[in-house]
Amino acid sequence: MYLFTSEVVSPGHPDKCADIIADSIVDEVLGKDKDARLASEVFVAGNHIVIGGEVKSKIKFSQSDYENIVKNALLNIGYSANPHFTKEQCLHLDDIEVHVFLNEQSPDISTGVDQSSGEIGAGDQGIMFGFASNETKEFMPAAITYARLLCDKVYEYAKAHPHELGVDIKTQVTLDYGSKDNFENCKPLKIHTIVVSAPCVESMSIEKVRELISGLIDEAGLPKELFNKDETIIYINPTGRYVNHSSLHDSGLTGRKLIVDSFGGYSPIGGGAQSSKDYTKVDRSGLYAARWIAKHIVAANLAKKCIVQLSYAIGVARPVSVSVDCMGTHVKGVSDEILSNFVLENFPLTPKWITDKFGLDKPSKDTFLYANVAAHGQVGNPDYPWEKLDSLEFFKNILK
């Protein structure tokens, strides 16, 4: 055996609630002022929602505005006044208290970011990593792809059946690659272990919960060539009881689920979170660009998997460095050096170029909302603009 595991949490997990609230603020602010600058942190503990950080915008939001954003975000997640869970077991919307501690962005940052030429300097220094693999049709690694598939299935059921399940859900998938060589060459053999934890109402027996979730696993659409239920180890609510949940029983904070948000541990991750930040913050925009490049390299059959690293200096538009690492899986005639130089020479990768390409300053229901990205992962969803394979032929030309 050679095993590798990734986990996923649902939008109802307290850490994800914090991310979603933070990005709901980003959506609201940028929707009214696309030139706004913001980076807010959200802390969820018990009934308290604490928002702190910085905002620079021509639109001023009141305490009441922020309270409405928080309540709408939690309602969309699934935290309404659910009568099937008591106020001691689960967060109830009418009990929350919102505390806002937001300051103006430092003018020292603005000087370097908003340049007179119209260029946008990086909103901070830092490193970002994009990754892609040919293990799945989404060009994402397998374990996190299937953990997300399961989490989405159970979460959607929970939202539709609040009299049975709560929305604070975690899933985990372990793949058996058989050997390290198979792992390096992106060849999983089977799903070895599945873990699902989902809160249930007090009246449901553990037997009923396990029967219910076992059926959802069957319906989730796991690949038949990898999933044999008779051979897969499956743990469902392994402690035997999971009723108490939400931020009443586990606090949440923005940026605490970076592995879940990105590549499930298959790749290095950058130094900062994406949620809560506007598009000038390269922790966000740099990740999207690096993922777009890595995905194109793998989709163009230039490599089986690929890591792209970008780095930036605050106030400087172009990246300080660009590197491509295909971990020895690139095709003949294409080296990591060739790919790195190709990217560096053909793509500016400034915050403005990235923003314009993916429309990062215009989140909307017709394109994407940052709150939805926070809920379902920063990468891997084919509907995101930075997941579009719109330059595939250009990348394939490297071989010509």
Side-chain angles (χ1 to χ4, degrees):
M1 292 189 299
Y2 190 85
L3 307 178
F4 193 90
T5 302
S6 295
E7 73 155 346
V8 168
V9 300
S10 73
H13 186 282
D15 287 335
K16 278 288 108 195
C17 289
D19 288 337
I20 293 165
I21 291 169
D23 274 342
S24 295
I25 294 171
V26 175
D27 287 328
E28 286 293 325
V29 173
L30 289 182
K32 293 178 171 60
D33 178 10
K34 71 180 184 66
D35 297 318
R37 304 287 181 256
L38 68 161
S40 63
E41 306 302 331
V42 174
F43 176 45
V44 183
N47 296 323
H48 297 273
I49 316 295
V50 182
I51 304 168
E54 58 182 27
V55 175
K56 177 188 175 185
S57 174
K58 62 187 178 186
I59 306 297
K60 302 303 178 185
F61 284 71
S62 66
Q63 171 75 23
S64 178
D65 291 330
Y66 286 112
E67 288 178 358
N68 288 333
I69 292 171
V70 170
K71 289 180 179 179
N72 287 334
L74 290 173
L75 186 62
N76 288 335
I77 289 167
Y79 286 115
S80 58
N82 186 348
H84 305 287
F85 289 96
T86 70
K87 291 191 173 185
E88 290 72 35
Q89 293 172 342
C90 172
L91 180 68
H92 280 236
L93 198 60
D94 53 354
D95 285 343
I96 68 168
E97 296 182 24
V98 179
H99 313 271
V100 181
F101 305 98
L102 290 170
N103 303 309
E104 285 283 329
Q105 184 187 65
S106 167
D108 296 343
I109 296 175
S110 301
T111 300
V113 173
D114 299 308
Q115 300 177 2
S116 58
S117 64
E119 188 53 87
I120 298 174
D124 202 350
Q125 70 175 51
I127 59 172
M128 303 87 224
F129 290 93
F131 180 76
S133 163
N134 67 3
E135 290 183 0
T136 65
K137 64 179 174 29
E138 297 85 2
F139 297 99
M140 286 285 287
I144 190 168
T145 298
Y146 304 137
R148 282 182 179 173
L149 191 68
L150 289 173
C151 195
D152 288 347
K153 182 69 177 180
V154 179
Y155 172 67
E156 291 304 324
Y157 183 91
K159 283 191 71 176
H161 301 82
H163 61 289
E164 293 180 308
L165 300 180
V167 294
D168 184 357
I169 298 159
K170 298 178 79 170
T171 60
Q172 188 170 283
V173 170
T174 301
L175 281 175
D176 183 3
Y177 286 82
S179 67
K180 181 65 181 297
D181 184 66
N182 281 342
F183 177 77
E184 296 295 346
N185 286 282
C186 308
K187 296 178 180 178
L189 300 184
K190 64 179 181 179
I191 294 176
H192 182 275
T193 303
I194 290 172
V195 183
V196 179
S197 294
C200 69
V201 297
E202 185 88 48
S203 59
M204 284 187 74
S205 67
I206 186 60
E207 292 78 17
K208 177 65 175 176
V209 175
R210 287 172 176 163
E211 179 185 359
L212 169 62
I213 294 178
S214 179
L216 294 175
I217 293 171
D218 292 341
E219 299 169 7
L222 294 171
K224 294 179 180 179
E225 66 273 16
L226 296 178
F227 177 56
N228 183 330
K229 194 169 186 179
D230 294 332
E231 297 179 0
T232 302
I233 301 168
I234 299 177
Y235 296 109
I236 299 172
N237 288 13
T239 66
R241 174 183 167 85
Y242 182 19
V243 175
N244 298 312
H245 63 286
S246 79
S247 59
L248 296 186
H249 304 279
D250 180 14
S251 62
L253 185 67
T254 44
R256 211 158 55 176
K257 287 292 178 283
L258 299 187
I259 297 291
V260 168
D261 280 341
S262 55
F263 307 103
Y266 280 83
S267 165
I269 58 172
Q274 290 74 53
S275 289
S276 86
K277 299 171 182 174
D278 70 77
Y279 49 86
T280 68
K281 307 295 192 297
V282 283
D283 287 323
R284 184 189 285 280
S285 51
L287 168 69
Y288 299 161
R291 163 62 179 172
W292 180 83
I293 293 165
K295 185 175 181 180
H296 272 81
I297 288 171
V298 175
N301 295 316
L302 300 174
K304 294 177 182 177
K305 57 184 176 180
C306 176
I307 297 172
V308 174
Q309 189 209 50
L310 306 178
S311 71
Y312 291 85
I314 187 168
V316 179
R318 296 204 64 150
V320 174
S321 68
V322 176
S323 69
V324 175
D325 180 4
C326 297
M327 293 160 280
T329 68
H330 53 71
V331 298
K332 186 177 180 180
V334 178
S335 66
D336 291 341
E337 291 84 359
I338 289 173
L339 290 169
S340 298
N341 289 324
F342 172 82
V343 172
L344 192 58
E345 292 169 2
N346 288 282
F347 304 105
L349 297 174
T350 65
K352 186 178 189 310
W353 182 87
I354 300 169
T355 297
D356 291 344
K357 180 164 184 58
F358 302 133
L360 300 186
D361 57 343
K362 302 178 185 69
S364 71
K365 292 180 180 179
D366 296 329
T367 54
F368 71 93
L369 290 171
Y370 286 116
N372 291 338
V373 174
H376 299 291
Q378 298 288 331
V379 293
N381 186 324
D383 293 332
Y384 300 162
W386 49 95
E387 294 288 329
K388 303 299 183 186
L389 293 170
D390 52 8
S391 299
L392 206 52
E393 292 305 316
F394 186 65
F395 276 80
K396 288 180 179 179
N397 285 336
I398 297 175
L399 291 173
K400 295 180 180 178

